[in-house]
Amino acid sequence: MRTFGSLLVRGLIVGLLAGLLAGTFAFVTGEPRIDSAIAIEEANASAHSHDAGSGHHEHAAEEEPLVSRDGQRFGLFLAASLYGVALGGIFAVGFTLLRRRLRTSSDSYAALGLAAAGYVGIVLVPFFKYPPNPPAVGDPDTITQRTVTYLLTLVIGLLAVWAGVAASRWVQRFGDLPWIRLAGGGAALVLTVVVAYLILPKINEVPGTFPATLLWQFRLASLGTQTVLWTLLGIGYAAAIDRRTPVAASSKVVAA
Amino acid sequence: MTAPVSTSSVAVPALSPRLLAFALLTVGLALMLAYLVAFDQGALSRSGMYLHELMHDGRHLLGVPCH
């Protein structure tokens, strides 16, 4: 058994490394798209330079930016790392509190299962309702509404995963077969998500002039970044709490 | 119903009020950190828009809505 402190420190370290590597993935795949989007934004801004400034933060070329583009490229790694640390901490707490309720004798499977659940609930469910947008897309005036609805999809995503797990356990009374559990759990999850998607407001703010290919590539880069983060978090945490190595080491010490 | 899995091989400590308190504290701090990365516009960091702009690319690519 590990102490909570030990479980937590492992989560934070794994989260930091996962965040750094996700940041590297984002740097390679996402930065070129952001540069292209900012170029479009600046072209639009200079075309509409007589419009009254809205006062919201802009990337307009004529304004001296608060942080240079190089600074923001560094900031990408900072943001991804800090986000990874935060997720790693929450993941470690989730693992500690939920481990006994997961019906597996393997800590590795428990960690991987939790990461998969977190990925579906926190990444996929919000992604398909409110896909991320590059700079130059999105109306500054709706940022509060978009933030609230995004956070709602995140909570609903976790609820949908919970509903899926609960349903898969409930249908076991009709036959304890893998396909019955999978179908029951999957149906509950999908049903919850579909209902939520229908109720939540539509947000469609992509300008008609914005290149579809660029938007698609940016969204793939964003999805890839979060996929890398969660995959490494799950595999990394499973490896980090594996007790075989320390046990073998200590038994050697005893034998010596 | 399946029998509950034996807990002897499980890596986590038993639940206690003390553990729950530490768990809650950890989640609170982690959420503050996530807020700082994903949503802060100077309200928490007291740095104006500096941190917001610094982590701007990261926020966009991590899927958080922005401007």
Side-chain angles (χ1 to χ4, degrees):
Chain A
M1 193 186 81
R2 293 192 183 280
T3 63
F4 176 60
S6 143
L7 289 165
L8 177 61
V9 167
R10 281 170 169 75
L12 298 176
I13 293 171
V14 168
L16 175 69
L17 294 175
L20 259 179
L21 287 169
T24 308
F25 181 91
F27 182 79
V28 173
T29 63
E31 277 296 337
R33 321 301 176 212
I34 289 186
D35 286 337
S36 307
I38 289 175
I40 291 171
E41 191 174 41
E42 285 174 353
N44 290 345
S46 57
H48 302 293
S49 58
H50 298 295
D51 290 357
S54 60
H56 290 86
H57 70 118
E58 295 163 348
H59 304 281
E62 60 268 27
E63 273 179 39
E64 185 62 33
L66 200 53
V67 177
S68 68
R69 284 297 300 142
D70 280 338
Q72 291 184 335
R73 286 189 189 97
F74 162 76
L76 168 65
F77 288 94
L78 182 69
S81 307
L82 292 181
Y83 190 71
V85 169
L87 273 188
I90 293 171
F91 188 86
V93 169
F95 183 84
T96 307
L97 299 184
L98 296 174
R99 172 65 188 95
R100 286 173 204 280
R101 315 197 73 177
L102 303 178
R103 295 175 185 174
T104 169
S105 57
S106 158
D107 288 330
S108 298
Y109 282 137
L112 293 173
L114 268 187
Y119 178 68
V120 171
I122 296 175
V123 177
L124 289 187
V125 172
F127 181 89
F128 288 117
K129 178 65 183 174
Y130 300 120
N133 288 322
V137 173
D139 177 2
D141 293 334
T142 61
I143 180 67
T144 308
Q145 189 213 352
R146 283 183 288 127
T147 301
V148 170
T149 49
Y150 168 79
L151 288 175
L152 261 178
T153 53
L154 211 142
V155 173
I156 289 168
L158 290 175
L159 278 176
V161 170
W162 173 80
V165 172
S168 77
R169 289 177 178 182
W170 182 75
V171 296
Q172 273 185 308
R173 66 182 60 196
F174 303 113
D176 193 5
L177 292 166
W179 72 264
I180 293 180
R181 289 206 305 271
L182 207 63
L189 191 148
V190 169
L191 190 71
T192 311
V193 172
V194 167
V195 169
Y197 277 10
L198 291 174
I199 293 171
L200 286 163
K202 285 192 180 68
I203 292 176
N204 192 359
E205 297 179 346
V206 181
T209 51
F210 197 87
T213 310
L214 179 57
L215 187 66
W216 168 243
Q217 288 170 336
F218 174 85
R219 286 175 175 173
L220 269 189
S222 171
L223 185 62
T225 301
Q226 297 181 81
T227 307
V228 169
L229 182 51
W230 278 94
T231 307
L232 293 179
L233 195 61
I235 294 176
Y237 200 71
I241 58 164
D242 194 324
R243 283 160 303 162
R244 272 172 293 186
T245 320
V247 167
S250 63
S251 62
K252 261 181 211 158
V253 173
V254 171
Chain B
M1 294 297 281
T2 49
V5 174
S6 155
T7 51
S8 61
S9 66
V10 168
V12 299
L15 291 189
S16 66
R18 199 179 126 87
L19 172 65
L20 283 177
F22 276 122
L24 216 66
L25 181 71
T26 306
V27 170
L29 289 174
L31 286 180
M32 265 172 72
L33 185 60
Y35 175 85
L36 210 62
V37 174
F39 304 110
D40 186 57
Q41 301 200 14
L44 188 65
S45 65
R46 318 302 307 167
S47 71
M49 293 295 279
Y50 184 80
L51 276 183
H52 179 91
E53 289 294 330
L54 179 64
M55 299 198 275
H56 198 251
D57 290 11
R59 190 166 43 254
H60 273 283
L61 280 163
L62 288 168
V64 182
C66 197
H67 61 180

